[in-house]
Amino acid sequence: MKNYEKKEEYNTQITEILSDNYKTIIEKLGEDVNREGLEKTPERVAKAMQYLTHGYEINPLEILTSAMFTEDHKQMIVVKDIEVYSMCEHHMLPFFGKAHVAYIPNGKIVGLSKIPRIVDAFARRMQVQERLTDQIKDCIEEALKPLGVAVVIEAQHMCMQMRGIQKQNSVTTTSSFTGAFEKDKTRKEFISLISNKLS
């Protein structure tokens, strides 16, 4: 039986710089960075932060255009309950929840797995939920030129739950619509589909 070997690739120079900075932060907070539990923490955090913000290295538009297909389907396509993990740019604390994305094709469809991929690509950056919602919508709009796009994100923010107002059960909902989804009937159909569990 082979030993498990974890393989991760990080920029060595960036890891070293971030590690030094996190070591200083830990010391300034009053901790002993040389004690056993914290000895490797600066490097771990440096690598974690690179992973949590790796969306800067991804082109979401290329993700969509790599899997576009000609199709004469003109009904709503919904991908709901997409897990979202992002980092609030104001306090560098996580926010997380679900994204619901829909579009109505206009001659082109995209591979279904690409929708969650672009959500993740934009989420893995320093973000605010409002911008994240618009970026997902705008990317789909630019790539597919559909008849309409709808994006709703529901998220909990650690900056509200762990600090500040400390409201543990609060959920923030943002939405962005274009084209056909600006019409009341179409928007209501989308909201109904993402709100109800289909049997």
Side-chain angles (χ1 to χ4, degrees):
M1 184 177 184
K2 292 184 179 179
N3 290 330
Y4 170 72
E5 185 180 349
K6 187 177 182 181
K7 293 184 179 179
E8 294 179 343
E9 292 183 7
Y10 296 98
N11 183 302
T12 305
Q13 185 179 8
I14 292 176
T15 301
E16 187 176 338
I17 293 169
L18 289 175
S19 294
D20 288 342
N21 284 313
Y22 279 115
K23 183 177 180 181
T24 300
I25 290 169
I26 292 168
E27 289 173 336
K28 294 298 182 184
L29 290 173
E31 263 289 2
D32 176 11
V33 79
N34 295 310
R35 71 176 174 85
E36 184 182 12
L38 290 174
E39 193 174 2
K40 293 185 178 180
T41 296
E43 182 181 352
R44 291 191 195 102
V45 179
K47 290 179 176 179
M49 288 304 296
Q50 288 177 77
Y51 178 78
L52 293 173
T53 59
H54 73 267
Y56 292 115
E57 301 170 9
I58 301 172
N59 185 331
L61 192 60
E62 287 183 0
I63 292 174
L64 288 183
T65 56
S66 71
M68 286 172 48
F69 309 96
T70 301
E71 190 63 49
D72 194 31
H73 181 80
K74 291 196 185 299
Q75 300 301 314
M76 192 184 304
I77 297 171
V78 182
V79 183
K80 68 177 187 175
D81 295 331
I82 303 167
E83 293 180 4
V84 172
Y85 298 98
S86 194
M87 189 77 69
C88 167
E89 66 182 38
H90 298 144
H91 298 98
M92 288 184 68
L93 288 171
F95 68 89
F96 57 92
K98 302 281 187 180
H100 314 287
V101 180
Y103 70 97
I104 300 174
N106 188 21
K108 295 287 184 183
I109 61 170
V110 67
L112 291 177
S113 69
K114 305 305 178 186
I115 301 293
R117 287 184 187 278
I118 68 160
V119 170
D120 201 48
F122 284 119
R124 297 298 187 174
R125 305 177 182 191
M126 306 294 286
Q127 278 288 11
V128 294
Q129 186 175 330
E130 296 87 343
R131 183 194 309 128
L132 175 60
T133 307
D134 285 335
Q135 286 176 332
I136 295 165
K137 176 205 68 181
D138 292 343
C139 185
I140 296 170
E141 182 80 24
E142 184 177 351
L144 297 177
K145 306 289 190 294
L147 298 176
V149 182
V151 179
V152 169
I153 297 178
E154 304 167 288
Q156 296 178 277
H157 292 248
M158 289 294 99
C159 57
M160 286 182 66
Q161 295 179 337
M162 292 179 68
R163 58 162 302 284
I165 192 114
Q166 296 184 44
K167 296 300 181 186
Q168 280 75 29
N169 298 312
S170 63
V171 176
T172 301
T173 302
T174 51
S175 63
S176 196
F177 304 102
T178 67
F181 288 98
E182 294 178 330
K183 296 178 181 177
D184 190 55
K185 182 180 178 181
T186 309
R187 188 166 59 250
K188 282 182 177 177
E189 180 185 351
F190 168 66
I191 298 299
S192 176
L193 286 171
I194 66 173
S195 300
N196 299 323
K197 298 293 181 185
L198 299 178
S199 56

